[in-house]
Amino acid sequence: MNNPVPLNDQAPIRQLVVVDARREAEGVLALTLADPAGAPLPAWEPGAHVDVVLPSGLVRSYSLCGSPQDRSTYRIAVLLTSDSRGGSAEVHQVGVVGQDLSVRAPRNHFPLVPAPAYLFLAGGIGITPLLPMLRQLAADPAAPRWSLLYGGRTLESMAFRDELTALPGGEVTLWPQDTHGLPDPDRLLAELPASAAVYCCGPEGLLQAVQTSAEGRLPAGALHTERFRAAVVEEAPVTGGAFEVELRRTGVSLRVPADRTLLDVVREAVPGVPFSCEEGMCGTCETKVLDGTPDHRDMLLSDAERAAGSTMMICVGRSVTPRLALDL
């Protein structure tokens, strides 16, 4: 249900204009973006997100939560967080009608796969990548059974709730924490039909609870998750030894010491290389590997993609082999 998308160093950037900005919930601002000349935008499928280059130069990834059938606009939603590294605060400050933003073409690491039934679990702003999936299923009379449990701190903090409850063909349950407490993943997964697909996006606590419940209960590959932040680890990750990186297109070779990231070193020779989260979870820095074996430390690539070793996230990845060649 999803076609491959180009890697970020090949995906074009275009200037889009904010044509609508509205508060969808407490702290959630939804922006609608369009080409200033009215040109159609690149196609995308549910689960895709775009990189937005903010006026300050920060690059942030946001899930597309509009309609893939609408090639005239993109819609994103941004939660203003107290621990923001600057991106969400800037969007809320500059996200007004008429503002120009640079946007990279969509890519998708969270596609909707065919399944006989679906369970969607969303927490807070994690509803954004799931909304187009639900819309697609709701529009298909032959779509399999689906249900959504959507949780948030309060009802007022939950974006798109009216849009969601109006969808036909499935079951939507709103679960505000202040009145309902925390949801019970064990109960939800126990009631699933065989071979159902589970999609989960939200805060780390929700993802960890669902993953724990899924162990031994769901078959391999049935759980699909997307994180907006890196998982918390008990110990600091091992940095790894030094290695050489060849930037084939640039024509230089650089040494990556044990105490520096591959991204940091690459940016000395290619300062414009795209990156955003620096935690291996957004895919902005995905880069083709031409030679060598990557040491994958991201949270996006599948086991098969890791084994193939054809791409890597250079913000967290390193090298198993003494030398690595990248298409940069």
Side-chain angles (χ1 to χ4, degrees):
M1 300 179 71
N2 176 46
N3 296 318
V5 295
L7 295 180
N8 284 309
D9 60 336
Q10 299 171 333
I13 291 179
R14 63 170 67 194
Q15 289 295 119
L16 302 183
V17 61
V18 179
V19 297
D20 186 56
R22 64 181 64 190
R23 302 284 169 181
E24 290 290 346
E26 288 180 357
V28 178
L29 180 67
L31 305 182
T32 302
L33 311 171
D35 185 281
L41 302 179
W44 60 282
E45 294 188 354
H49 59 281
V50 293
D51 294 329
V52 177
V53 185
L54 301 173
S56 66
L58 288 173
V59 181
R60 294 293 181 261
S61 295
Y62 298 108
S63 295
L64 291 172
C65 57
S67 170
Q69 283 69 48
D70 179 8
R71 297 284 302 278
S72 66
T73 63
Y74 287 158
R75 184 176 68 168
I76 60 174
V78 183
L79 172 66
L80 179 61
T81 59
S82 58
D83 58 348
S84 166
R85 293 184 297 158
S88 72
E90 184 175 356
V91 169
H92 278 251
Q93 291 166 3
V94 305
V96 294
V97 173
Q99 173 72 46
D100 290 331
L101 295 174
S102 299
V103 178
R104 199 177 297 272
R107 66 186 183 282
N108 200 340
H109 287 284
F110 193 48
L112 183 65
V113 299
Y118 296 93
L119 171 64
F120 297 91
L121 302 168
I125 199 65
I127 191 61
T128 51
L130 304 183
L131 180 52
M133 299 182 187
L134 298 167
R135 259 225 211 87
Q136 177 173 302
L137 294 172
D140 181 2
R145 168 187 167 187
W146 62 267
S147 62
L148 165 71
L149 180 79
Y150 176 21
R153 292 180 294 101
T154 66
L155 194 62
E156 292 72 22
S157 71
M158 298 164 64
F160 308 116
R161 56 186 184 273
D162 292 339
E163 200 170 314
L164 288 161
T165 53
L167 292 175
E171 179 183 353
V172 175
T173 302
L174 303 182
W175 196 277
Q177 184 177 335
D178 62 338
T179 58
H180 290 58
L182 295 174
D184 181 3
D186 288 339
R187 179 185 62 79
L188 293 167
L189 298 187
E191 297 173 354
L192 276 182
S195 303
V198 179
Y199 279 77
C200 182
C201 185
E204 186 60 28
L206 173 65
L207 270 66
Q208 290 286 0
V210 172
Q211 288 174 329
T212 299
S213 295
E215 292 176 2
R217 183 175 277 122
L218 296 182
L223 177 61
H224 307 263
T225 61
E226 183 167 78
R227 282 178 163 85
F228 288 153
R229 298 200 176 164
V232 176
V233 294
E234 294 296 328
E235 302 176 358
V238 177
T239 305
F243 60 96
E244 300 290 322
V245 60
E246 177 192 355
L247 309 183
R248 188 76 51 90
R249 277 190 275 144
T250 305
V252 299
S253 292
L254 304 167
R255 181 170 176 79
V256 183
D259 60 349
R260 296 188 65 194
T261 68
L262 176 55
L263 174 64
D264 283 342
V265 173
V266 166
R267 291 186 67 219
E268 292 178 354
V270 189
V273 64
F275 71 97
S276 179
C277 73
E278 299 183 72
E279 297 177 320
M281 44 173 278
C282 74
T284 301
C285 67
E286 186 174 6
T287 302
K288 286 182 180 178
V289 178
L290 303 178
D291 197 14
T293 303
D295 176 7
H296 297 289
R297 303 185 180 191
D298 63 275
M299 289 173 280
L300 283 174
L301 297 178
S302 66
D303 290 343
E305 290 169 329
R306 289 169 182 261
S310 58
T311 72
M312 67 181 299
M313 309 303 163
I314 62 173
C315 66
V316 292
R318 298 188 70 80
S319 182
V320 174
T321 48
R323 187 175 180 84
L324 196 67
L326 302 177
D327 186 24
L328 288 171

